[in-house]
Amino acid sequence: MEDFLAALALIFVIEGLLFAAFPNATRRAMLEAAHTPDGVVRLIGVVCAVFGVLALFVVRRLL
């Protein structure tokens, strides 16, 4: 549970830095994402989730 909370905190840090450093680009990206078809958003979500699981496996098991 400690690792999960640390990962959640890092998400907030990274997202906060993006909003602080690039507010206009972040806003444009959100507007573009809002107009993206559901199927594309789902595909991107699945690809990102699979990549995250593989990256976690590499970090936890192989390094």
Side-chain angles (χ1 to χ4, degrees):
M1 188 65 154
E2 184 178 322
D3 287 340
F4 173 74
L5 293 175
L8 191 60
L10 282 173
I11 290 170
F12 281 107
V13 168
I14 292 167
E15 188 172 337
L17 287 173
L18 287 173
F19 276 97
F22 310 106
N24 291 328
T26 305
R27 187 178 295 111
R28 280 193 311 271
M30 288 189 300
L31 287 171
E32 191 168 325
H35 293 93
T36 303
D38 289 347
V40 174
V41 173
R42 282 191 184 103
L43 178 63
I44 292 170
V46 169
V47 169
C48 288
V50 169
F51 175 76
V53 168
L54 292 174
L56 186 60
F57 175 78
V58 168
V59 168
R60 292 290 187 178
R61 301 287 187 236
L62 302 179
L63 296 181

